[in-house]
Amino acid sequence: MALNPPSPTPSMFRKKKSSSSLGPMSTAASYLSAVRAADARARARGDTPLTTPALSLSSSVTTSSEDTILDEGEESYSDILTYPSIPPTSEQVYTTVHSEFGHCSNEEYRAVSQHPAGKPVAPHVEQDPPYYVLFTTYISYIILILFGHLRDFSRKYFNPGEFKHLVPHDGYAPITSDFDSFYTRRLKGRMDDCFSYPVTGVAGRTIVLLERESKDSNRTFAPTGRKVRTLNISSYNYLGFAQARGGCADAVEECIKRYGVSACGTRVEGGSLDLHSQAEGLVANFVGQEDALLCSMGFATNSTIIPALVGKGCLVISDELNHASIRFGVRVSGANVRMFKHNDMKDLEDLLKEVISQGQPKTHRPWKKILLIVEGLFSMEGTMTNLPSILELKKKYKFYLFVDEAHSIGALGPHGRGVSDYFGVNPRSIDILMGTFTKSFGAAGGYISGSRVIVDRLRVRSHSHTYAEAMTPPVLTQVIASMASIMGVTPALPTSTSTGTITKSRMPEPEVPEAYPGRALSSSLPTWMDLPPAMREGTEGRDRLRRLVFNSRYLFRGLKKLGFIVYGHDDSPIIPLLIFNPGKMSMFHRLMRQYSTPIVVVVVAYPATPLVTSRVRFCVSASHTKEDIDTVLRASDYVGDVLDLKHSDGERWPLERIMNSAVELVQMEQPSHD
């Protein structure tokens, strides 16, 4: 087996020269409009490439101010955009638009995520690896733990000062537990170069890594001064709205000009800005609920809202793989908690029968309330909650339902409205919908939505609303602009103007929002927010949704056809690839980073996952092109052969067949998963 990586693909990037023939454009919106117009002309002619050329990135990008631009070496592609021979300016956007969001005009590279109506949700079956993989994984951990303890024993004897914080001293208890410190020093420390890698720039289609090195076994790192532009398959930028250029960025810039820097991060006592009420109304309309409450931090949304909902005498039933923020919130609340097996509806129903019949511990009185908490899309597994079955149980056993849509909102469903949209259920059948703006919307913070009665109560009882800082105006603007571009904006009613004495009359817009999942009312946006036409019409948001689904389904099914064990749902933008062995985990990260086209991935190990199910987690974005996914498949195929990671059962396809049959693979009927 050849250990040399395949040769690079034709480059999309080249160094920006001082004698550029490219000219300035006034705004990002004007540039993107030019891209769309040229794209339409190209499709009409039928003689241009349908996507941005595949990436082949240099492993060493200079630290100067020179940027990378779209390679115009191919004559056919140079016809798409032509620039006047004027020196570039700092306002030009051609240097970043294609590195942040890949160009793709092929309508075949689109798909829609929606569960077939009336079709039952089949359970997801996790495949086990061969026994020799499990055996060698356990042996690896045993060896690491054994040698780690031997090293600790010798160093505690010869250098006791180094372990002062692990043993009682001068009347003080150890500040950290010995096991936590042991795992960090002796296991995680061996692969620390794979974690917390410093980056710079926007986490878009590509990202720039700041290279570093360690001369003391990963205890400390020092920058080398080199930069590496890599293909980014590790960020939660699902719809690609994390851009430094574009309609959202222009709106945020205008917001800063209007509200000033002093308004950013300032807590508003006794009231809120107009942007807060506009954003809350837009969020409620987006998710199909009566009202919504915003929080400046996603983790705090769960950890402070749950204690405001339940307390002593209440019961929380939680999926065993729920996020740490949910677990923390339940502990703080003081409510009793019971867990059920991940997405196992039979286990959940058995648990419901038990807790309802037995009541509270000791007294056996009925529970004050029962709250079931699940995630719409589980971040480590890539699985969806079985929402139709849960709603059937809800009707039967009368519990309240809390759905965490941190990863599913904006990423799932034909309209991007999350799991309720994906399964085609009424969102108001769910009591509380929680979500964050840090993934699909390229912003920060979170929200809680539900009935107006519940949200009004949370405004008073939630610590995150009472004591925390309000969301800043630029963040709110990013949320409003990105969300409105997914929904589309209802045009304002026409105004009548008479010359002479200039008078303008405008009929009031309807106060009742359109039915879910309708468009956003123009009154729900700030009057000064001037979004590009494609964003106001909703065409750009819909295109991003469809591109995300195609990319997610293509990568998921492509990896399975290559022979990898992958978890999750076909339409999930989170795709965990199982590695198992801890040594292979760090090597996978390094080999992908050193590939001919550098690729940055996220590796996850214990305690975030069970000990023997270490994994790499691909995070797909609408900003990726089909060629980008080809690059990831090509690199994974190479690394998988080197590290012996292909242990999946089922039919396997050669790499070239997968890439040539991408559309067929995406449109292929697959059994439903949970």
Side-chain angles (χ1 to χ4, degrees):
M1 178 176 56
L3 298 183
N4 294 325
S7 59
T9 53
S11 176
M12 124 179 205
F13 292 109
R14 60 180 171 85
K15 291 290 182 62
K16 165 71 182 59
K17 302 299 182 181
S18 59
S19 59
S20 175
S21 62
L22 306 179
M25 289 192 178
S26 58
T27 64
S30 64
Y31 176 80
L32 296 177
S33 298
V35 170
R36 295 189 195 94
D39 198 21
R41 293 194 301 270
R43 288 197 300 269
R45 290 197 307 266
D47 58 356
T48 57
L50 296 171
T51 58
T52 300
L55 290 171
S56 179
L57 307 175
S58 171
S59 61
S60 176
V61 179
T62 62
T63 59
S64 68
S65 60
E66 294 180 337
D67 208 339
T68 54
I69 65 175
L70 186 67
D71 192 346
E72 298 176 2
E74 299 182 44
E75 182 180 355
S76 59
Y77 197 84
S78 64
D79 293 337
I80 295 182
L81 295 175
T82 58
Y83 305 92
S85 56
I86 303 176
T89 69
S90 60
E91 294 299 319
Q92 287 178 308
V93 297
Y94 64 83
T95 57
T96 57
V97 66
H98 288 287
S99 62
E100 292 177 0
F101 195 93
H103 175 66
C104 178
S105 62
N106 190 340
E107 289 297 324
E108 289 189 333
Y109 298 155
R110 309 286 193 271
V112 177
S113 66
Q114 187 171 21
H115 184 74
K119 188 175 182 180
V121 181
H124 176 79
V125 180
E126 295 182 354
Q127 184 178 341
D128 293 325
Y131 283 114
Y132 82 90
V133 174
L134 294 175
F135 177 76
T136 54
T137 300
Y138 280 114
I139 290 295
S140 298
Y141 276 110
I142 291 174
I143 293 174
L144 287 172
I145 293 172
L146 177 62
F147 277 89
H149 280 299
L150 290 175
R151 294 180 65 184
D152 277 3
F153 178 80
S154 60
R155 301 199 75 163
K156 284 179 181 178
Y157 182 80
F158 292 106
N159 191 9
E162 184 179 346
F163 292 84
K164 187 178 180 180
H165 62 289
L166 298 177
V167 295
H169 63 93
D170 301 329
Y172 290 95
I175 197 168
T176 59
S177 71
D178 188 60
F179 176 77
D180 291 345
S181 176
F182 173 81
Y183 179 83
T184 302
R185 289 180 289 104
R186 300 307 183 197
L187 283 81
K188 177 179 176 293
R190 292 176 175 270
M191 48 188 175
D192 257 351
D193 64 319
C194 300
F195 303 109
S196 304
Y197 220 103
V199 300
T200 183
V202 176
R205 177 194 180 201
T206 67
I207 196 169
V208 177
L209 300 185
L210 305 179
E211 282 200 340
R212 59 185 181 176
E213 61 181 0
S214 176
K215 298 181 180 179
D216 54 4
S217 300
N218 292 341
R219 292 184 181 179
T220 60
F221 292 91
T224 63
R226 298 175 64 227
K227 298 181 181 180
V228 182
R229 181 170 288 277
T230 66
L231 179 61
N232 182 20
I233 197 79
S234 64
S235 298
Y236 292 145
N237 184 24
Y238 296 144
L239 292 182
F241 281 118
Q243 293 179 244
R245 300 290 189 270
C248 291
D250 290 342
V252 170
E253 183 178 356
E254 179 64 23
C255 170
I256 295 176
K257 292 178 181 178
R258 289 177 175 270
Y259 287 86
V261 179
S262 61
C264 303
T266 303
R267 182 167 174 243
V268 182
E269 293 284 359
S272 59
L273 297 174
D274 56 342
L275 285 175
H276 290 95
S277 58
Q278 288 174 328
E280 288 178 345
L282 188 64
V283 169
N285 191 16
F286 183 78
V287 300
Q289 294 282 11
E290 288 185 4
D291 202 357
L293 170 67
L294 303 185
C295 181
S296 58
M297 180 182 176
F299 188 97
T301 306
N302 276 334
S303 58
T304 62
I305 290 293
I306 293 175
L309 291 170
V310 293
K312 187 176 180 181
C314 300
L315 174 67
V316 173
I317 300 178
S318 176
D319 190 292
E320 64 178 351
L321 297 184
N322 275 345
H323 192 262
S325 61
I326 297 175
R327 294 168 177 260
F328 183 80
V330 173
R331 291 173 184 171
V332 173
S333 71
N336 291 74
V337 59
R338 295 289 298 273
M339 291 193 297
F340 66 97
K341 295 179 182 178
H342 175 56
N343 251 351
D344 190 329
M345 295 299 104
K346 184 179 183 305
D347 187 59
L348 173 59
E349 185 169 14
D350 292 342
L351 179 59
L352 285 167
K353 292 177 181 177
E354 176 191 342
V355 297
I356 292 174
S357 62
Q358 295 298 318
Q360 299 184 40
K362 297 182 180 179
T363 64
H364 298 289
R365 292 177 179 175
W367 299 101
K368 293 181 179 179
K369 70 182 77 165
I370 299 177
L371 178 66
L372 173 64
I373 305 180
V374 294
E375 294 187 42
L377 179 62
F378 290 83
S379 59
M380 288 296 170
E381 307 297 314
T383 52
M384 295 184 201
T385 188
N386 191 340
L387 187 59
S389 297
I390 289 178
L391 291 177
E392 289 297 322
L393 293 175
K394 184 177 185 295
K395 294 178 183 177
K396 184 176 181 181
Y397 294 100
K398 310 301 180 183
F399 54 81
Y400 293 100
L401 178 58
F402 183 115
V403 178
D404 179 339
E405 292 211 273
H407 290 269
S408 55
I409 193 67
L412 297 178
H415 309 94
R417 313 298 173 91
V419 288
S420 60
D421 187 24
Y422 182 84
F423 288 108
V425 303
N426 185 352
R428 298 199 180 184
S429 61
I430 303 170
D431 299 288
I432 299 171
L433 283 170
M434 175 270 176
T436 64
F437 305 119
T438 56
K439 281 80 178 178
S440 296
F441 306 102
Y447 68 86
I448 286 288
S449 64
S451 68
R452 189 166 285 108
V453 173
I454 293 178
V455 173
D456 285 344
R457 176 180 173 85
L458 294 177
R459 295 185 198 278
V460 178
R461 295 182 58 89
S462 169
H463 291 172
S464 61
H465 189 267
T466 306
Y467 300 110
E469 292 180 346
M471 290 178 65
T472 63
V475 174
L476 289 169
T477 302
Q478 172 73 19
V479 171
I480 294 173
S482 58
M483 192 171 287
S485 72
I486 300 173
M487 302 174 70
V489 182
T490 301
L493 295 176
T495 60
S496 62
T497 305
S498 62
T499 57
T501 53
I502 302 176
T503 60
K504 293 184 179 180
S505 62
R506 177 175 175 178
M507 296 178 60
E509 295 186 7
E511 296 181 357
V512 180
E514 293 190 31
Y516 170 89
R519 298 164 68 91
L521 297 176
S522 58
S523 58
S524 61
L525 274 65
T527 55
W528 48 262
M529 184 178 289
D530 185 20
L531 296 177
M535 295 183 70
R536 295 189 70 89
E537 294 166 5
T539 55
E540 180 175 326
R542 288 193 295 271
D543 189 65
R544 289 175 185 248
L545 284 168
R546 296 169 63 211
R547 284 186 59 177
L548 172 64
V549 178
F550 178 90
N551 292 340
S552 302
R553 203 178 291 174
Y554 176 38
L555 181 57
F556 180 90
R557 295 179 180 178
L559 290 172
K560 291 195 72 172
K561 291 298 184 182
L562 285 175
F564 292 100
I565 297 178
V566 291
Y567 283 176
H569 194 284
D570 301 52
D571 293 337
S572 166
I574 303 170
I575 304 173
L577 186 154
L578 275 291
I579 296 179
F580 303 104
N581 194 291
K584 292 181 180 180
M585 181 174 63
S586 57
M587 284 302 300
F588 190 99
H589 186 278
R590 293 164 189 164
L591 288 174
M592 294 290 279
R593 205 172 66 227
Q594 297 167 5
Y595 192 69
S596 57
T597 297
I599 302 173
V600 58
V601 299
V602 173
V603 290
V604 187
Y606 179 84
T609 65
L611 192 67
V612 296
T613 58
S614 301
R615 63 198 66 177
V616 57
R617 195 173 50 162
F618 296 114
C619 298
V620 184
S621 171
S623 63
H624 295 130
T625 65
K626 190 264 183 184
E627 284 74 13
D628 295 337
I629 307 301
D630 288 344
T631 302
V632 175
L633 288 172
R634 191 180 292 110
S636 299
D637 182 56
Y638 158 70
V639 177
D641 288 335
V642 173
L643 300 181
D644 185 26
L645 298 177
K646 299 179 179 180
H647 307 299
S648 176
D649 297 332
E651 180 186 9
R652 296 192 184 185
W653 289 7
L655 178 63
E656 292 302 321
R657 180 185 175 187
I658 293 173
M659 294 190 298
N660 294 334
S661 307
V663 176
E664 172 193 346
L665 191 63
V666 168
Q667 295 177 350
M668 187 181 298
E669 284 291 333
Q670 296 283 347
S672 299
H673 305 296
D674 59 9

